Amino acid sequence: MHELIQRPLTVDTLDSIWSLDRRESIDGFYRWHDGALELTATECGVAGWPPGEAAHSTPRLKQSLADGGWAMGWFSGKQLAAAVVVAPYPLCGVLNLRQLQFLHVGRDWRGRGVGTCNVDPGAATTALVGR
């Protein structure tokens, strides 16, 4: 696999997030029970994005970017490997608190730290709050 190259996503390139490989196997669910999270073992698979997800979510994500949000993609060659979108709107009146609207790592890149170490929170905060 190629080294990942980080590039901003724009309103015009945001549709590429739906090319991420969404397939996964799920071996358990957590549920809230008697005041604590409880793991329930299960086996099921996710074959891809739910029907209608792109049509439902794309306008909201694009509006966030048009309003000053922040989006970044990590590419392996021309293929998108991971993406993140952060909304520009303060949450609960806290000026430096924002909603993470989208974070997904493609199947071939999971378990390699892509979703944990490649987002520079300082850069996102500066981009959103420093306007």
Side-chain angles (χ1 to χ4, degrees):
M1 290 189 190
H2 297 95
E3 179 180 329
L4 294 181
I5 304 298
Q6 182 178 332
R7 291 196 311 257
L9 295 174
T10 67
V11 170
D12 294 332
T13 62
L14 192 66
D15 289 331
S16 66
I17 64 174
W18 307 114
S19 71
L20 288 165
D21 187 351
R22 175 72 176 88
R23 293 175 297 152
E24 64 182 294
S25 297
I26 298 171
D27 58 9
F29 288 103
Y30 284 92
R31 68 182 185 119
W32 189 257
H33 182 73
D34 292 332
L37 285 176
E38 181 179 274
L39 177 62
T40 303
T42 188
E43 289 186 25
C44 65
V46 175
W49 295 102
E53 180 69 20
H56 171 77
S57 296
T58 300
R60 178 177 47 87
L61 295 170
K62 286 186 174 187
Q63 186 62 55
S64 286
L65 288 184
D67 290 348
W70 183 85
M72 191 64 62
W74 287 266
F75 292 82
S76 173
K78 292 183 178 185
Q79 179 64 42
L80 185 63
V84 62
V85 179
V86 179
Y89 324 111
L91 287 176
C92 304
V94 180
L95 294 179
N96 65 349
L97 183 61
R98 300 294 188 272
Q99 175 70 44
L100 177 65
Q101 284 188 292
F102 183 93
L103 172 63
H104 191 77
V105 176
R107 180 184 176 122
D108 291 342
W109 290 92
R110 291 185 204 137
R112 299 170 70 180
V114 174
T116 59
C117 66
N118 281 323
V119 175
D120 177 356
T125 301
T126 301
L128 293 168
V129 180
R131 293 175 188 251

